C-alpha cells in the first residue's frame, strides 16, 4: 500500500455490534516490523443514531503513535461522548469531562460506524502487525444520562469525584491519618537504594575527581552526569514537587463542589485566586477564585504544621521511591533544603516575534535588547540556588514554538518593520546580496528597496527563498541559545545549561542548541525513547524534562497526554520507558510530569490529568511507586550494561 495516501484498513462493525456505549475506549496493539520509523493512527467514526443514513453527519476521533523499527505499542482512542442538551454550558473549565462528555464534538457511541487503522504515508515501504483490536473499560455512570437526576455536586470534600468508587479512594479524614502511618512504615522499611551516594549517584561504580558542581562525562560510550562526589549520576526525577498541584478555579463552578470549607474555617487559607488561563473557559476572563485541594488535604493529614512535615516527607519519599532529582516547577522551600539534587528553571522576556504563533504564545525575539536584559534579570534572581552544589543544572524557557526549519524566518518577515528580528534578517540579506534587485532575482519578488522589504509583511515563495530562510532560522536559534547561555554562565559559570525543554522541534533548532548547551533538554511525551536520536553528527548528552502516562480507573476524567488502560499498565509503561531511556547512550536523565494529580476539575487552563505519583489526597499510587523503586535500584546496572 506504499502508493496510497493513507495506507490502512477499515473495520465496519455489523449492526448488532455498533453500540459501544458500555465501554470507555477502543484499543489495538501495533508492531512496526519494517526497517523504518512510522506513524500509525486509529480513527473512530460514528453516526448520530437518529440520522444514520446521512453520511456527512459522521463524527470522528483520531489518535496516533510513533513506532521505531521493531517497536510494539498499544494505540488507544477514548470514546468521548456527545453531551446531553441539559448539561451544555454546565460542564466548563475542564480539558476532559466525566465519562468523556463533549459539548462541541463527541461520538455517538451507540452507533460506531467504522474503525480505520492507517499509517501516515512515507516514501518507503511500511510493514505493520496489528492485533487484539478490543473494547476496554466500563462507562456505566448512568447519572449523566438520566434526565430525572441532577449530577451536581460531583466533587466531594477531598476534591474527589463523587459518583464512583475505586481502590484507594478516601472516604473519611481518619483514613488520611491511617494512610500516613502506613506509609511511614513502608518508607522506614525501604528508605533508599543501598548503592547510592549522598546525591543519588552510583557509589558502587567508578569514582572520578570531586567537584563543587554536577558535570557531564562520556563513559564507556554513553553520556552521564557526574555528581559532586565524583560518582556517575543518572537523573531519575519528578516535576512539580509542591503542595498545590490540585488547585482549581471555582468561579462560575461553585455548584460542582459538595463541601467547600466555610470562610472562617482553618481550611479557608487554601482559597486563593489567579488569572493564568492561556486556553479554555477562563481564557480572557480575568481574575478567578481558586481552592487548593492538595493543601487542604495535607492539613487534614498532617495537622497545623503540615507544610514543614510535607516538605520533609517529599525528600523521604523520593529517596525511598528511587528518585534522585527534584525537577522543574517545584517548590523552592523544598528543594533548597539541600537533601535531593534539583534543577532550576529560569525565563526570558522582551519583545516577541509578532508574526510567530505557538501553543504557549509567540516566540521570543532574541535580537531585541530587552530579551538579553530580561533573561539576565531572571537568572540574577536565581543566583543562590543556581550556584548550589545540589543544583544539577538550569533550564531556560519551556516548550517554545520552534516550528519547521523555515517558520521563524517567515515569522520575522510577517512582522512589523520595527521588529528587531526582521531588521536583523534584512541586514543579513543586505550583506549577502548588496542590491535589492539581486534579492528580487533570487526570490522572484519585486521589492523597490530594502525599506520596502522591511515595510511589507508578506512571506516570499518558500521554495525560491528556502536557502535564505533556513540560514536566518539558524541565526535566530543561535542568537537565542547564545544569549541564554551567556545569562546562565554569567550568574552560575560552573552550572550546567540544560537548554529550553524542546517539545515541538526540528533538526536545525537542535543543532543550534548543541553549539551552546551543556545538555540538550527535551519534553518527550512518547511511549518509548529507546531509539530517539539527535541529528547526524551531533554527539551530546540530553535530558528528558517531561513525560507521563495516565489512566481513568481512579476517578479522574483525563489520562494526560499518553493514555494507558489502568494503573498496572501505567506502571509497566513507566518501567518500559525508563528502561529504554537508560539503554539509549544520549540520555542522562528523565523527569516525570508530575508529583501529584491535577485537580479533578482542572487548573486554570483546564488540564485535569491523572498523572501524579500521588492523588489529590496525597495517597501514593502504589503500582507506579513500585515501578519507580525498581528502576531506582536497577538503573545504574542497566545503564552500564554493554
Amino acid at each position: 500500500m506504499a502508493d496510497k495516501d493513507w495506507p490502512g484498513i477499515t473495520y465496519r462493525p455489523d449492526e448488532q455490534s455498533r453500540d459501544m456505549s458500555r465501554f470507555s475506549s477502543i484499543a489495538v496493539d501495533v508492531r512496526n516490523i519494517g526497517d523504518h520509523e512510522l506513524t500509525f493512527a486509529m480513527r473512530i467514526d460514528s453516526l448520530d443514531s437518529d440520522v444514520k443514513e446521512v453520511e456527512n453527519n459522521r463524527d470522528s476521533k483520531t489518535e496516533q503513535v510513533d513506532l521505531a523499527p521493531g517497536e510494539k505499542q498499544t494505540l488507544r482512542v477514548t470514546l468521548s461522548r456527545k453531551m446531553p442538551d441539559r448539561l451544555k454550558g454546565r460542564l466548563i473549565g475542564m480539558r476532559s469531562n466525566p465519562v468523556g462528555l463533549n459539548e462541541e464534538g463527541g461520538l455517538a457511541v451507540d452507533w460506531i460506524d467504522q474503525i480505520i487503522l492507517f499509517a501516515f504515508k512515507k516514501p518507503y515501504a511500511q510493514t505493520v502487525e496489528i492485533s487484539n483490536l478490543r473494547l476496554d473499560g466500563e462507562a456505566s455512570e448512568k447519572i449523566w444520562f438520566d434526565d430525572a437526576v441532577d449530577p451536581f455536586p460531583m466533587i466531594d470534600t477531598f476534591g474527589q469525584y463523587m459518583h464512583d468508587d475505586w481502590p484507594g479512594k478516601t472516604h473519611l479524614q481518619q483514613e488520611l491519618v491511617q494512610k500516613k502511618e502506613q506509609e511511614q512504615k513502608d518508607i522506614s522499611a525501604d528508605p533508599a537504594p543501598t548503592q547510592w551516594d549522598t546525591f543519588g549517584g552510583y557509589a558502587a561504580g567508578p569514582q572520578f575527581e570531586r567537584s563543587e558542581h554536577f558535570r557531564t562525562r562520556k563513559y564507556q560510550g554513553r553520556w552521564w552526569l557526574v555528581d559532586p562526589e565524583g560518582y556517575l549520576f543518572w537523573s531519575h526525577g519528578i516535576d512539580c514537587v509542591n503542595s498545590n498541584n490540585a488547585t482549581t478555579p471555582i468561579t462560575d463552578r461553585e455548584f460542582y463542589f459538595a463541601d467547600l470549607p466555610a470562610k472562617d474555617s482553618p481550611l479557608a487559607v487554601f482559597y486563593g485566586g489567579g488569572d493564568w488561563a492561556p486556553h479554555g473557559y477562563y481564557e480572557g476572563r480575568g481574575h478567578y477564585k481558586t481552592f487548593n485541594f492538595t493543601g487542604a488535604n495535607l492539613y487534614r493529614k498532617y495537622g497545623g504544621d503540615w507544610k514543614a512535615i510535607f516538605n520533609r516527607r517529599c525528600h523521604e519519599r523520593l529517596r525511598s521511591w528511587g528518585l534522585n532529582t527534584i525537577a522543574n516547577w517545584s517548590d523552592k522551600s523544598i528543594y533548597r533544603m539541600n537533601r535531593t539534587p534539583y534543577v532550576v528553571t529560569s525565563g526570558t522576556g522582551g519583545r516577541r516575534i509578532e508574526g510567530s504563533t505557538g501553543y504557549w504564545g509567540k516566540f521570543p525575539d532574541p535580537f531585541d535588547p530587552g530579551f538579553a536584559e530580561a533573561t539576565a534579570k531572571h537568572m540574577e534572581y536565581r543566583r543562590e540556588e543556581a550556584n548550589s552544589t545540589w543544583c544539577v543544572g538550569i533550564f531556560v524557557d519551556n516548550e517554545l514554538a520552534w516550528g519547521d526549519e523555515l517558520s521563524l524566518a517567515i515569522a520575522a518577515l510577517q512582522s512589523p518593520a520595527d521588529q528587531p528580528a526582521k531588521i536583523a534578517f534584512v541586514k543579513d540579506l543586505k550583506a549577502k546580496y548588496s542590491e535589492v534587485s539581486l534579492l528580487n532575482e533570487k526570490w522572484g519578488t519585486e521589492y523597490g528597496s530594502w525599506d520596502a522589504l522591511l515595510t511589507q509583511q508578506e512571506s516570499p515563495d518558500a521554495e525560491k527563498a528556502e536557502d535564505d530562510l533556513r540560514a536566518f532560522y539558524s541565526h535566530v536559534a543561535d542568537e537565542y541559545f547564545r544569549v541564554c547561555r551567556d545569562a546562565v554562565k554569567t550568574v552560575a559559570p560552573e552550572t550546567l545549561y540544560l537548554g529550553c525543554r524542546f517539545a515541538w522541534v526540528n533538526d536545525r533548532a537542535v543543532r543550534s542548541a548543541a553549539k551552546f548547551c551543556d545538555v540538550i533538554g527535551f519534553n518527550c511525551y512518547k511511549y518509548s525513547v529507546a531509539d530517539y536520536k539527535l541529528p547526524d553528527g551531533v554527539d551530546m548528552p540530553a535530558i528528558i524534562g517531561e513525560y507521563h502516562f495516565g489512566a481513568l480507573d481512579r476517578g479522574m476524567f483525563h489520562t494526560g497526554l499518553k493514555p494507558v488502560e489502568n494503573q498496572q499498565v501505567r506502571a509497566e509503561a513507566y518501567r518500559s520507558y525508563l528502561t529504554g531511556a537508560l539503554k539509549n547512550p544520549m540520555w542522562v536523565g528523565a523527569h516525570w510530569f508530575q508529583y501529584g494529580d491535577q485537580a479533578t476539575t482542572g487548573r486554570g487552563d483546564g488540564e485535569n490529568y491523572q498523572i501524579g505519583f500521588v492523588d489529590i489526597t496525597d495517597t501514593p499510587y502504589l503500582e507506579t511507586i513500585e515501578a519507580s523503586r525498581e528502576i531506582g535500584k536497577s538503573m545504574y546496572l542497566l545503564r552500564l550494561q554493554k
Side-chain angles (χ1 to χ4, degrees):
M1 294 187 290
D3 59 330
K4 304 291 186 182
D5 287 338
W6 301 102
I9 59 173
T10 299
Y11 167 68
R12 284 184 170 271
D14 58 40
E15 188 163 341
Q16 289 72 35
S17 304
R18 290 184 173 183
D19 184 352
M20 303 182 187
S21 57
R22 292 191 301 109
F23 301 93
S24 61
S25 66
I26 299 176
V28 65
D29 296 331
V30 187
R31 185 192 302 274
N32 178 4
I33 58 176
D35 298 326
H36 305 278
E37 66 179 6
L38 60 84
T39 301
F40 195 82
M42 174 163 55
R43 193 183 91 189
I44 311 300
D45 290 351
S46 70
L47 292 174
D48 190 296
S49 57
D50 295 327
V51 283
K52 300 184 185 72
E53 72 281 359
V54 182
E55 189 70 12
N56 62 6
N57 191 56
R58 179 178 282 123
D59 293 295
S60 301
K61 185 175 181 182
T62 304
E63 298 288 352
Q64 66 189 54
V65 292
D66 297 319
L67 293 164
E71 184 178 0
K72 180 180 180 180
Q73 291 190 31
T74 296
L75 175 57
R76 181 180 307 278
V77 177
T78 301
L79 291 172
S80 59
R81 286 153 162 72
K82 288 185 175 297
M83 189 177 295
D85 288 342
R86 68 189 178 86
L87 296 175
K88 290 181 178 178
R90 301 185 75 193
L91 285 169
I92 55 176
M94 296 178 287
R95 189 67 58 88
S96 185
N97 297 314
V99 296
L101 292 168
N102 192 314
E103 184 165 338
E104 297 181 354
L107 299 168
V109 294
D110 61 339
W111 195 266
I112 299 299
D113 182 52
Q114 59 186 13
I115 301 169
I116 305 173
L117 303 167
F118 63 95
F120 284 47
K121 186 176 182 180
K122 300 286 186 180
Y124 45 75
Q126 303 178 80
T127 310
V128 182
E129 178 184 274
I130 304 168
S131 61
N132 196 18
L133 179 65
R134 60 195 182 275
L135 292 161
D136 266 344
E138 293 188 8
S140 57
E141 298 167 59
K142 303 300 183 184
I143 191 169
W144 294 101
F145 305 99
D146 187 344
D147 292 342
V149 179
D150 187 349
F152 300 105
M154 65 173 182
I155 303 298
D156 69 14
T157 188
F158 302 107
Q160 303 168 121
Y161 183 48
M162 292 174 58
H163 303 315
D164 198 5
D165 205 358
W166 57 87
K169 185 176 184 179
T170 296
H171 304 87
L172 301 169
Q173 183 168 336
Q174 182 181 358
E175 295 175 22
L176 293 177
V177 179
Q178 293 170 348
K179 290 176 181 178
K180 176 188 69 175
E181 295 168 350
Q182 292 167 357
E183 186 185 3
Q184 185 57 58
K185 293 179 181 178
D186 176 62
I187 291 175
S188 298
D190 197 356
T194 57
Q195 294 181 322
W196 283 12
D197 70 358
T198 305
F199 294 92
Y202 190 43
Q207 186 175 20
F208 307 99
E209 65 278 6
R210 293 174 179 266
S211 172
E212 287 296 311
H213 298 281
F214 283 82
R215 57 201 187 276
T216 62
R217 184 185 187 104
K218 199 168 191 181
Y219 178 72
Q220 295 184 343
R222 294 178 178 177
W223 282 104
W224 289 86
L225 297 168
V226 178
D227 72 22
E229 291 187 2
Y231 290 109
L232 296 173
F233 183 95
W234 204 85
S235 183
H236 183 207
I238 192 164
D239 294 309
C240 303
V241 181
N242 59 52
S243 57
N244 58 15
N245 283 313
T247 298
T248 191
I250 58 176
T251 297
D252 298 339
R253 308 193 302 174
E254 288 86 350
F255 62 94
Y256 281 14
F257 308 100
D259 190 23
L260 287 173
K263 301 301 182 179
D264 58 354
S265 160
L267 296 178
V269 296
F270 299 107
Y271 285 105
D275 56 15
W276 179 79
H279 308 285
Y281 175 80
Y282 291 99
E283 182 180 4
R285 293 177 182 264
H287 187 81
Y288 51 76
K289 295 183 293 182
T290 63
F291 188 75
N292 177 6
F293 280 103
T294 303
N297 289 327
L298 291 172
Y299 184 99
R300 293 176 174 121
K301 185 174 186 176
Y302 298 115
D305 197 26
W306 69 271
K307 187 69 169 76
I309 296 171
F310 174 74
N311 287 3
R312 293 194 299 270
R313 174 53 58 92
C314 285
H315 291 283
E316 294 167 356
R317 279 176 163 175
L318 296 186
R319 197 81 170 182
S320 175
W321 296 348
L323 293 153
N324 62 8
T325 307
I326 295 176
N328 242 44
W329 323 119
S330 294
D331 185 339
K332 184 176 180 177
S333 71
I334 297 175
Y335 65 74
R336 287 300 279 136
M337 293 172 73
N338 292 340
R339 294 177 56 182
T340 304
Y342 60 85
V343 299
V344 170
T345 183
S346 191
T348 58
R351 189 168 172 180
R352 302 276 162 162
I353 298 177
E354 292 300 318
S356 68
T357 59
Y359 185 80
W360 298 115
K362 297 178 184 295
F363 197 90
D365 188 338
F367 300 97
D368 174 29
F371 176 78
E373 293 168 5
T375 305
K377 188 174 182 179
H378 281 296
M379 270 307 306
E380 186 60 40
Y381 290 148
R382 291 157 179 79
R383 177 178 290 274
E384 182 181 357
E385 60 200 275
N387 281 287
S388 169
T389 297
W390 291 86
C391 179
V392 176
I394 303 165
F395 291 109
V396 180
D397 277 338
N398 181 64
E399 297 189 345
L400 299 174
W402 289 95
D404 63 29
E405 295 190 352
L406 308 181
S407 61
L408 297 180
I410 291 173
L413 292 176
Q414 293 176 334
S415 297
D418 65 345
Q419 183 78 54
K422 188 172 191 177
I423 294 169
F425 194 1
V426 173
K427 182 179 179 181
D428 287 356
L429 294 172
K430 283 182 179 180
K432 179 177 180 178
Y433 291 102
S434 70
E435 299 292 336
V436 74
S437 59
L438 298 176
L439 175 69
N440 286 332
E441 183 179 342
K442 171 68 174 176
W443 286 15
T445 49
E446 297 179 352
Y447 303 126
S449 65
W450 294 112
D451 285 343
L453 172 55
L454 273 173
T455 302
Q456 67 79 40
Q457 292 181 242
E458 300 295 324
S459 58
D461 184 309
E463 186 174 345
K464 293 178 179 178
E466 181 175 1
D467 291 344
D468 295 317
L469 294 172
R470 290 184 187 277
F472 187 67
Y473 185 104
S474 290
H475 192 178
V476 174
D478 285 355
E479 185 70 3
Y480 170 85
F481 286 111
R482 182 192 66 78
V483 172
C484 292
R485 188 273 317 272
D486 289 353
V488 169
K489 298 300 182 181
T490 297
V491 169
E494 301 302 320
T495 304
L496 298 173
Y497 170 36
L498 307 178
C500 65
R501 300 163 63 84
F502 285 124
W504 309 280
V505 69
N506 60 75
D507 283 359
R508 189 165 292 268
V510 175
R511 290 183 186 281
S512 288
K515 297 176 186 178
F516 300 97
C517 298
D518 298 305
V519 180
I520 305 176
F522 296 84
N523 291 352
C524 285
Y525 286 99
K526 299 175 177 292
Y527 290 99
S528 174
V529 290
D531 297 298
Y532 200 103
K533 295 178 181 178
L534 297 176
D536 290 344
V538 177
D539 184 12
M540 288 276 295
I543 194 165
I544 298 164
E546 293 181 18
Y547 72 103
H548 64 222
F549 312 101
L552 299 181
D553 60 336
R554 300 286 169 88
M556 298 290 286
F557 306 151
H558 200 304
T559 62
L561 300 181
K562 288 298 172 185
V564 292
E565 182 178 353
N566 55 45
Q567 296 307 310
Q568 188 57 50
V569 176
R570 186 166 85 129
E572 293 165 4
Y574 187 93
R575 290 186 189 93
S576 176
Y577 186 99
L578 283 174
T579 299
L582 285 158
K583 292 182 177 181
N584 186 323
M586 63 183 267
W587 299 120
V588 295
H591 301 160
W592 172 274
F593 185 88
Q594 56 183 26
Y595 182 84
D597 280 346
Q598 294 172 335
T600 311
T601 48
R603 63 183 192 183
D605 66 347
E607 280 192 12
N608 56 342
Y609 297 168
Q610 191 276 307
I611 51 175
F613 267 50
V614 298
D615 69 13
I616 291 165
T617 70
D618 194 51
T619 301
Y621 287 104
L622 297 180
E623 299 91 342
T624 300
I625 299 305
E626 194 55 41
S628 179
R629 277 178 166 155
E630 291 174 13
I631 289 294
K633 292 173 181 177
S634 64
M635 67 182 185
Y636 288 117
L637 290 177
L638 279 171
R639 184 71 173 169
L640 287 165
Q641 283 180 355
K642 295 182 180 180

